Amino acid sequence: AVGRVLRVTGGGWRVKGGGHFGIGVGARVDCRRTAGIGARSPIRWPGARNHVRSMRFEKMRKWQAAEQFVAEVDGIVELARFAAPNPSDHLERSAESALFNIAEGAGAYRPRVKIGCYEIAKKEVNEARAVLRRLVLKRTVTDVQIQRAYDLAGVLISMLTSAILTLEKRAATGR
């Protein structure tokens, strides 16, 4: 059946004519080709190969760790904003960029695109760690004040590295 997207539901978009999937409201869709697409099931279409499963990015541990990291960074930025405005701004932008790149990678279907997004996020987290150290060297904040953010950054880098290696291995084997 062919229909138009009517409203948002928990598992995606409710489409007139049946089916749930993630596309914009008002879009014309062919439910025969897209039936069964959900947040946890892979998209299948004629000629599809090497599909990577996707899930809602909010459920990913990488995303949750990144959210905690950004929350910690926000607290540090509030402490340091007036004493060191440039590093504070840089720290905030790097943390947010990492968060957004993780979401972008989660939404990508091609392994190479996912890898690229996760590599950018990893670089941004490393950059944020460097800014945290710079704020300590400037004596704007103390080691104790940045410790949780610094530790979360390390965990996040490990998670992203693991995801990148897994995706590269999957891409090499063609699965």
Side-chain angles (χ1 to χ4, degrees), residues 98-115:
L99 183 73
F100 300 148
N101 275 292
I102 289 170
E104 187 178 343
Y109 289 106
R110 293 188 196 137
R112 286 279 144 213
V113 175
K114 279 184 181 290
I115 290 168

Side-chain angles (χ1 to χ4, degrees), residues 17-30:
H20 292 271
F21 40 95
I23 60 170
V25 174
R28 257 183 101 57
V29 294
D30 185 348

Side-chain angles (χ1 to χ4, degrees), residues 59-74:
K59 292 186 177 188
M60 297 174 69
R61 288 181 299 177
K62 289 183 284 298
W63 172 264
Q64 292 167 1
E67 277 187 328
Q68 290 178 14
F69 176 65
V70 168
E72 288 295 320
V73 163
D74 287 344

Side-chain angles (χ1 to χ4, degrees), residues 73 75-93 130-141:
V73 163
I76 294 166
V77 166
E78 287 305 312
L79 292 172
R81 185 174 305 279
F82 295 109
N86 288 339
S88 296
D89 180 54
H90 196 94
L91 176 62
E92 189 174 35
R93 285 184 288 112
V131 175
L132 288 169
R133 293 300 310 149
R134 175 65 182 127
L135 289 172
V136 170
L137 292 173
K138 276 185 102 166
R139 297 175 198 228
T140 308
V141 294

